[in-house]
Amino acid sequence: MATAPLVADILLAGAAVIVTLGVVLLGRIVLGPTTPDRVVAVNVVGTATVVVIALVAAALDQPGYLDVALVYALLNFLLSVGLAKFSIERGGVL
Amino acid sequence: MAVPLLSAGLTVDPAGPLQVAGLSAEAVLVALLVAGSAFFSLVAVVGFYRLPDVYSRAHAASKSETLGALLAFSAAGVVFGLGQASLKLALLALFVLVTGPTAAHAVVRSAADAGRTPWTRETGITDGGASTDDAGVAETPTDTGEADR
């Protein structure tokens, strides 16, 4: 059951838009100005990456890519929470 | 027999799928969901560049980006149909829905514990912030935040 070409094109166009927005967000990571700004921006870029993986999986009809997206979402959450806990001396968040 | 609706090319065939201007219903639904996802992601990015503070930026991230991600997962779920892939997508959507705002909250709470003061109209950016003039924020005075650093 391959994806219809029109639907695949729509999904890939949406993935391209979200990739572009993620690249634009790299500017916010560069010009901070503080560490929490950068952490939140990296978190959003990671979420956008998960979204792109899911859209490409649907467009190419490859359900196995969704496992990659799940693991990436877990690692993204771990990164944010770890940086939030250990960027401050008393790790009292969460 | 096709029943015309709204005289705009939208016809409902009771014995078949919804057809809009010759496109399949799946294509229309996926296009709407993907467009909504792109819109909310764009709102999140614009908020990241226009908002002055880590708290307001985390606000944009945790709401708008999460909703965009959920709409994109819905689009992929419509394409895959019911099955194992949809179950994985539902898990992914639930996980993003739970952990996106949680991660933003953790980062913001660590920032608050580190003593970052929120932006207000009177004080401007005070503690460790810089005025974001790259997007042409006209409301931010350019002299605030320069002397503090």
Side-chain angles (χ1 to χ4, degrees), chain A residues 37-58:
Chain A
D37 285 314
R38 293 187 174 96
V39 175
V40 172
V42 167
N43 189 13
V44 171
V45 170
T47 307
T49 310
V50 173
V51 167
V52 166
I53 293 170
L55 288 177
V56 168

Side-chain angles (χ1 to χ4, degrees), chain B residues 32-130:
Chain B
L32 286 175
L33 288 170
V34 167
S37 168
F39 171 73
F40 282 108
S41 302
L42 176 67
V43 166
V45 171
V46 168
F48 258 95
Y49 275 96
R50 294 294 305 269
L51 294 173
D53 199 7
V54 62
Y55 302 107
S56 49
R57 283 172 197 150
H59 173 85
S62 63
K63 292 188 190 350
S64 187
E65 182 68 23
T66 302
L67 182 57
L70 292 183
L71 287 173
F73 295 150
S74 306
V78 166
V79 172
F80 276 123
L82 284 179
Q84 194 179 7
S86 308
L87 182 62
K88 286 178 190 172
L89 278 166
L91 282 173
L92 197 56
L94 179 68
F95 192 75
V96 167
L97 177 66
V98 170
T99 60
T102 306
H105 173 262
V107 173
V108 162
R109 187 163 172 177
S110 73
D113 284 349
R116 310 267 179 220
T117 54
W119 181 90
T120 57
R121 193 181 294 275
E122 289 80 14
T123 60
I125 307 293
T126 55
D127 191 5

